[in-house]
Amino acid sequence: MRVLSQLFTNNRAWAAEITRREPDFFARLSQQQVPEYLWIGCSDSRVPANQIVGLLPGQMFVHRNIANCVIHTDLNCLSVIQFAVEVLSVKHIIVCGHYGCGGVLSALRDDKLGLVDNWLRHVQDVRSKHQIQLAGLASETLRHDRLCELNVIEQVVNVSQTTIVREAWARGQALAVHGWIYKLTDGLLRDLSMCVTSEAELANRYETALGKAPLNP
């Protein structure tokens, strides 16, 4: 119970397989990390960032929290973004939500879960902002799916409005912010048509993404 021996066994098998394919992999990896991507995703255990895009350790910098939120007072997330942009010089920031997100569903239903309700208040703000659109959908399932999409779009806006990203663009750094969503039942990603590469194009990209019909997977 205290040792979790199965996880250590799994770890040894994983490291051995990597070493079999690339004998110097860990030696190289230990010297530096040069990822091109920052992934901001949900903490949900069913959405493993590196695995679903087929990347090895060292190829993606990752930050995860409940319902993949980017809050302007969250120093944890902001510190990750700053390190990724200014130290690692990533070229892409990917905000990835997922259908079936429990946090988003709780925000949609206004469930009372405890401390996490304060965090999910940010998703409820997204719900309130788009209440007319959500109310026009025929079922809770459709409203849940659409709120998962809308939440990603709004978080891309939040990333794009951080001083970190705005300053990177101002100094001419190549940096794109993407909004994606993942479907648990088929393992596939969907592009939400929300890709921002400069402060000047943010408003237009936002309106375009909102104008797209719900994917309704």
Side-chain angles (χ1 to χ4, degrees), residues 99 133-134 137 142-143 145-147 149-150 192 209-217:
Y99 296 114
Q133 179 184 159
L134 292 169
L137 298 173
L142 293 177
R143 289 190 290 274
D145 287 345
R146 186 54 175 163
L147 185 53
E149 295 173 355
L150 292 169
L192 291 172
L210 288 183
K212 297 281 186 179
L215 296 183
N216 294 335

Side-chain angles (χ1 to χ4, degrees), residues 2 12 17 53 60 63 68 87 97 113 121 142-143 146 150-151 159 162 172 185 196 213-214:
R2 293 179 182 273
R12 287 191 290 272
E17 176 59 21
V53 290
M60 179 176 282
H63 175 80
N68 43 271
V87 178
L113 302 176
R121 176 70 254 176
L142 293 177
R143 289 190 290 274
R146 186 54 175 163
L150 292 169
N151 185 50
V159 172
T162 61
T185 55
V196 186

